[in-house]
Amino acid sequence: MTPLIELDGVTKTLKGQQEPRTILSGVDLTVQAGQSVAVLGRSGSGKSTLLSIVGLFDRPDGGAYRIDGQDISRIPERKAAALRSAEFGFVFQRFFLLKHLSAAQNVAMALVNGQGWLPRRQRRAKVMAALEQVGIAHLAKHRPAKLSGGEQQRVAVARALVRQPRILLADEPTGALDTETGNLVIDVLHEATRQGRALILVTHDWDHARKMGRVLRLEDGTLHDVDEYEHAPAEVAA
Amino acid sequence: MIRLSGRLRSALIIGGQGIRARKTRTLLSIVSLFLGVLAVVVVQAGAEAANQAALADIELQVGKDGTRMMYVSPEKAGAMAAALETLKGRSDAVGVIGTSATIGEPGVNPVNPGGAPFDRQAGGPDYYYGGGPGAEMICDERGCRPVDKAQQAEQTPNGQAIELRLSALTGDVLPFRPYRMKSGRWLDFTKVPSLSPGIVVNLEAAKGFARYQVPAEMRIYGVSTNATPRIIGVVDDGVPMPTAYTRVDELLNWVPASSLDMMGGVETLLAPDAYAVEQTLRARLVGLGVPAEQLRADPVNARKAIEEQLRLVRLVFLGIAGLVLLIGVAGILNVGLATVGERVEEFALRRAVGTPRTLLAGIVLAETLLTGLFTAAAAIGVASLALKVVGSILSGRTPIPLDMEFPWQAGVAGIVAGLVAGLLGGLIPAIRAARIPIATVMRA
Ligand SMILES: Nc1ncnc2c1ncn2[C@@H]1O[C@H](COP(=O)(O)OP(=O)(O)O)[C@@H](O)[C@H]1O
Ligand SMILES: [Mg+2]
C-alpha cells in the first residue's frame, strides 16, 4: 500500500547568523492514513523545521518527499499552496487567530483562501460542524480576545479541520496551555485520526506522545524510534 | 472561470476585512494623498479653463476653428467692390469691413480718442485692455503710464461724441463668431436694406452711450455725408474697445461706393467647405490684377495653437502637482509598509492555509488602489464644488465666462493620479506581503 507521507533521506541546511547549520541530515519517515506519530526532541533539534518541510512551508535541500507516491519536493509554490489548502491542517503553539475576526470567521478563513469557492451557506455549515467537533460551537460569534487559551486553540484546531484534510500537523499545540486544557486539545486531534487522517504531533509532553500510535525522537538531524523504557523524563523536559 | 471568480470573491472578503479592521489607516492614507491628487485635478481644471477661455476669446474675435480667413486688400481699385459683390447674399462666406466712426456732436474731440475703452480714464486697473503696441505712454519723474486720454479730452473743447470701430458685414457673421445677444436683436440680413442704418453695438459701446449724452449723428472716417443710425441691439463680442456692427448694404446707402477704398479692406470668413465661393472670389480678384499669392485662405486653428502655448505652463504646474503627489505617495507607502509589517503573521497564516501569494499581493495592491480611487473621488468632488463657488462669486466680475462645467479632463487626470499613486504606494508593500516566509513566522 502506498504510504500517505513518505520522507526519504530528507536534508535541510539553514543559513544561520554565522555559518550554515545542517538541521536535518537524512530524515526517513513513513506515515499511513489514519496513523498518528509523535515527534520528541530537544529544543532547537529541528522539529519545527521538519514540520515546515512536511507542511510545504519550506522545501528540502535533498532527499525525496512523496505524498501518495508522488514526489513533491520540487513543486512550484502555486501547487504547494493548493496542496496546503487541500491536504493539510496546521495547529501551532501560538494560536495565530486574527483578532479582528470572530471565531467562526477565523475558521472560515481556511475556506476563503482563493482555492475554490463555497457559497456562504455551505461555508457556514462546514464552519459550524468544525466548531462542533472541537466543542465550542456556542462561541462562534466571539472574538479571540473574549476566549480562554484553550478555547482559542480549539478554534485553531477547528480551522485546521474545516477542510477535512488528510494530514494534520501540530507543532507543540499544548505548549501554551495548562495540562487539563492541553489534554482536551490532544484528544480532539487524536479523535481526528479515527476518521482516517494522519497526525504528526510535535510535543515535549510524554503523556501526549504516548497516546500516538508511534513515538519518534529527532536527534542529530535524524529520526529514531522511541519506546517507553528508553524514555528519560529529563530529556523530555528540555 | 470558477477558479477566477473564487479567487476574486476571496480577495473581496479578505480585502474588505482588512479595510474594516484598519479604517483609521485608510483614512490617513487618503489624507496623505489628498493634496497631491487635488493639485493635479486643480492644475488640469485650471489649464482646461484657461484653454476654454482663450478659445472662446479667439472664437469671438477671430473665428471658430476651421473657419478660413482671406484678406482682400483695398490697394487695387475695385477689388473691394468685387469682393462685396461676390459675397453678397451668401451664408457660407462673410466679408467684414472695418473702419473708424464717431457718433455725436460734430467737430469736437470724442470722449475716447482712438476708440479706447471708456474706463481707462478712471485710472483703474488696466488688466484687460493692457498697454498693447498701440498704447501711448507718458513718462516723467513719477514713472511711466499710459496717456490719460480723459485729461487730454478735458483740455480740448468738450465734445459729446464717442469714437468707435465700425464693422460692416456682408452677411450674418454669427455662424463664424458666436457673439452673445445681450438685448435688442441682431442685424437681419434677410430684409431689404434700410435707408437709416441699423447698428448693433457691443457692451463697451453701449456703456459709452449710457454714460454720455450723444446726439445720434454718425460720421465715418473719410466720408463727408453723415447718417443717423438706429441702435437695434447690444451684443457681447469679447472686444474691449467700443464697436458697432452694421450691414454693408445699409452703410452703402449713405456712403458713396467710391469711398470704400478708403476703408480697411475686406476680411473674409469662409466656412470650412466653402470652396466654390472661394474660387469665384479668387478668380475675380486675380482678374482685377490682385497677385494670387496675396489671396491665401488661412484656417483658424486656435485650439492647437492655444494648447501649444499653454503646454509648457501646464507641464510646469503638473510637475509641481506631481511633486506634491509624490509626497502623498511617500505617505501611503509608509502607511502601507507599516500595515504589512503589522500583518506579517496574518499573511503567513493565510499562506499556510493555502492562499496563493499572488492573491495576497493583489489584495494589498487593491487596498491602496481603492484608497487612491477614494482620494480621487474626494478631490474631484472638492475641486468641482470649489469651481462652482468661485464661479458664482466671480461671475460678472471678470470678462472670462466662469459658468463652465467641471472639465472631464481634470476628472480623468484625478483618477489617473489616484491610481498611479495607489500603484506606486502599494507595489512595494504588495511585494513584501508576497515574500513573507511562512516557516520563519510560524516556527514555535
Ligand atoms: N530562519 C532560520 N534561519 C536559520 N536558522 C534557524 C532559523 N529558524 C530556526 N533556526 C535554527 O534551526 C534550528 C532548528 O530550529 P527548529 O526547527 O525551530 O527547532 P525545534 O522546533 O526543534 O525547537 C535551531 O537551532 C534554530 O536556531
Ligand atoms: Mg519548534
Side-chain angles (χ1 to χ4, degrees):
Chain A
M1 180 177 151
T2 317
L4 178 53
I5 298 174
E6 198 177 4
L7 272 67
D8 196 351
V10 162
T11 60
K12 185 71 186 177
T13 301
L14 291 179
K15 293 183 227 44
Q17 264 126 1
Q18 290 96 31
E19 74 258 30
R21 259 193 65 198
T22 299
I23 312 293
L24 305 177
S25 55
V27 170
D28 301 324
L29 175 65
T30 305
V31 185
Q32 302 285 355
Q35 211 181 7
S36 57
V37 177
V39 177
L40 298 169
R42 241 183 257 281
S43 217
S45 58
K47 306 180 296 295
S48 293
T49 306
L50 176 62
L51 271 201
S52 73
I53 285 173
V54 174
L56 288 170
F57 296 173
D58 211 344
R59 305 302 153 79
D61 294 332
Y65 172 21
R66 288 183 284 272
I67 283 187
D68 294 330
Q70 299 264 339
D71 191 350
I72 56 164
S73 53
R74 303 266 177 283
I75 54 165
E77 170 55 27
R78 189 173 49 81
K79 285 191 179 154
L83 274 178
R84 286 198 296 270
S85 169
E87 305 286 6
F88 292 95
F90 304 90
V91 184
F92 307 92
Q93 176 174 6
R94 289 195 287 140
F95 317 128
F96 289 114
L97 298 181
L98 300 179
K99 60 178 190 300
H100 58 279
L101 302 183
S102 70
Q105 285 174 316
N106 264 290
V107 175
M109 72 155 287
L111 297 171
V112 183
N113 63 356
Q115 309 278 4
W117 180 252
L118 283 178
R120 181 194 290 269
R121 195 191 292 237
Q122 288 178 43
R123 218 159 63 216
R124 200 180 148 66
K126 279 187 179 262
V127 167
M128 290 318 290
L131 286 171
E132 198 81 57
Q133 201 175 340
V134 299
I136 51 164
H138 59 289
L139 301 175
K141 291 212 167 84
H142 288 55
R143 297 244 172 138
K146 290 254 178 85
L147 301 175
S148 72
E151 287 163 347
Q152 290 189 49
Q153 190 62 307
R154 280 191 278 168
V155 173
V157 173
R159 183 179 63 199
L161 291 172
V162 70
R163 269 189 186 265
Q164 304 185 315
R166 289 195 294 161
I167 305 161
L168 286 175
L169 303 177
D171 193 351
E172 301 181 34
T174 61
L177 303 175
D178 61 70
T179 318
E180 206 174 318
T181 331
N183 286 339
L184 211 81
V185 168
I186 295 299
D187 289 345
V188 169
L189 285 172
H190 195 249
E191 181 72 24
T193 61
R194 297 235 178 94
Q195 301 153 351
R197 287 177 233 296
L199 169 64
I200 301 180
L201 170 72
V202 169
T203 183
H204 285 303
D205 190 326
W206 175 253
D207 287 335
H208 294 159
R210 69 177 182 190
K211 288 182 183 167
M212 303 298 123
R214 205 176 152 203
V215 182
L216 300 167
R217 179 168 42 240
L218 184 61
E219 199 165 27
D220 301 328
T222 54
L223 280 175
H224 309 275
D225 273 296
V226 177
D227 58 46
E228 199 154 352
Y229 303 105
E230 218 181 302
H231 161 69
E235 229 178 275
V236 173
Chain B
M1 181 63 206
I2 287 169
R3 208 173 123 229
L4 191 75
S5 84
R7 281 197 164 202
L8 200 64
R9 288 160 190 238
S10 300
L12 286 177
I13 291 186
I14 299 172
Q17 286 172 348
I19 289 181
R20 242 175 292 139
R22 272 166 290 270
K23 288 192 200 93
T24 325
R25 292 233 160 154
T26 309
L27 197 68
L28 282 180
S29 294
I30 289 180
V31 169
S32 85
L33 209 51
F34 181 76
L35 276 185
V37 176
L38 185 67
V40 170
V41 170
V42 166
V43 167
Q44 282 293 35
E48 237 11 85
N51 258 356
Q52 280 178 25
L55 198 65
D57 235 39
I58 291 188
E59 269 190 356
L60 289 181
Q61 298 186 20
V62 182
K64 284 185 179 168
D65 260 17
T67 303
R68 289 171 305 128
M69 312 280 298
M70 188 197 278
Y71 180 68
V72 179
S73 150
E75 274 167 50
K76 276 272 179 277
M80 285 183 69
L84 292 184
E85 205 179 295
T86 311
L87 297 172
K88 189 175 179 180
R90 301 207 64 108
S91 59
D92 59 349
V94 172
V96 183
I97 300 175
T99 186
S100 166
T102 304
I103 298 180
E105 280 185 87
V108 293
N109 250 346
V111 292
N112 62 332
F118 297 102
D119 278 331
R120 295 190 72 223
Q121 297 105 307
D126 212 7
Y127 56 88
Y128 197 85
Y129 186 57
E136 290 168 53
M137 301 291 285
I138 181 167
C139 289
D140 57 17
E141 67 279 0
R142 285 186 295 150
C144 289
R145 59 195 174 281
V147 170
D148 194 332
K149 291 194 172 145
Q151 252 174 26
Q152 246 182 20
E154 273 163 23
Q155 284 153 13
T156 55
N158 205 1
Q160 289 295 331
I162 285 170
E163 185 172 342
L164 44 71
R165 177 125 199 103
L166 184 65
S167 281
L169 311 171
T170 65
D172 193 358
V173 81
L174 292 191
F176 301 94
R177 294 175 182 165
Y179 302 151
R180 293 178 286 265
M181 273 330 280
K182 288 298 176 182
S183 63
R185 54 190 168 79
W186 180 241
L187 302 168
D188 187 351
F189 291 88
T190 58
K191 285 195 181 143
V192 180
S194 154
L195 279 174
S196 86
I199 61 172
V200 172
V201 297
N202 73 351
L203 289 173
E204 188 62 22
K207 193 199 284 177
F209 286 120
R211 193 173 294 173
Y212 307 100
Q213 301 290 315
V214 297
E217 184 164 324
M218 180 156 83
R219 274 153 293 124
I220 295 175
Y221 175 72
V223 177
S224 51
T225 41
N226 292 353
T228 308
R230 295 167 293 123
I231 298 176
I232 59 172
V234 178
V235 284
D236 178 5
D237 61 355
V239 175
M241 287 82 74
T243 306
Y245 299 89
T246 187
R247 287 171 59 166
V248 160
D249 43 14
E250 287 187 1
L251 181 69
L252 286 176
N253 274 343
W254 93 93
V255 170
S258 62
S259 60
L260 266 184
D261 293 344
M262 297 289 292
M263 297 181 186
V266 184
E267 192 183 22
T268 310
L269 293 89
L270 296 151
D273 56 355
Y275 293 111
V277 61
E278 183 190 346
Q279 292 304 330
T280 315
L281 182 60
R282 186 172 285 134
R284 286 192 68 172
L285 292 172
V286 169
L288 284 171
V290 179
E293 66 271 14
Q294 276 185 17
L295 297 170
R296 282 203 330 269
D298 296 320
V300 178
N301 202 350
R303 189 175 291 277
K304 207 169 139 229
I306 290 168
E307 262 161 28
E308 268 164 20
Q309 268 175 26
L310 286 179
R311 185 184 297 142
L312 186 69
V313 181
R314 189 194 282 232
L315 280 182
V316 168
F317 277 101
L318 268 185
I320 297 169
L323 279 181
V324 182
L325 190 64
L326 216 58
I327 296 170
V329 168
I332 203 176
L333 183 64
N334 188 22
V335 172
L337 285 178
T339 306
V340 168
E342 217 171 65
R343 294 172 84 180
V344 161
E345 283 195 354
E346 178 191 337
F347 288 141
L349 174 70
R350 289 199 186 273
R351 286 196 61 202
V353 300
T355 315
R357 62 207 301 173
T358 47
L359 188 65
L360 292 178
I363 289 163
V364 171
L365 199 57
E367 281 179 14
T368 56
L369 285 179
L370 216 59
T371 308
L373 274 184
F374 280 145
T375 313
I380 291 169
V382 167
S384 69
L385 203 72
L387 188 76
K388 276 216 181 75
V389 172
V390 169
S392 72
I393 291 175
L394 289 187
S395 75
R397 287 202 214 165
T398 71
I400 302 166
L402 275 161
D403 50 341
M404 59 181 276
E405 294 277 299
F406 185 74
W408 62 267
Q409 292 95 333
V412 170
I415 289 169
V416 168
L419 286 180
V420 166
L423 191 71
L424 287 179
L427 206 56
I428 298 174
I431 290 171
R432 285 234 177 136
R435 290 217 178 131
I436 289 169
I438 320 173
T440 318
V441 180
M442 313 301 271
R443 191 182 300 268

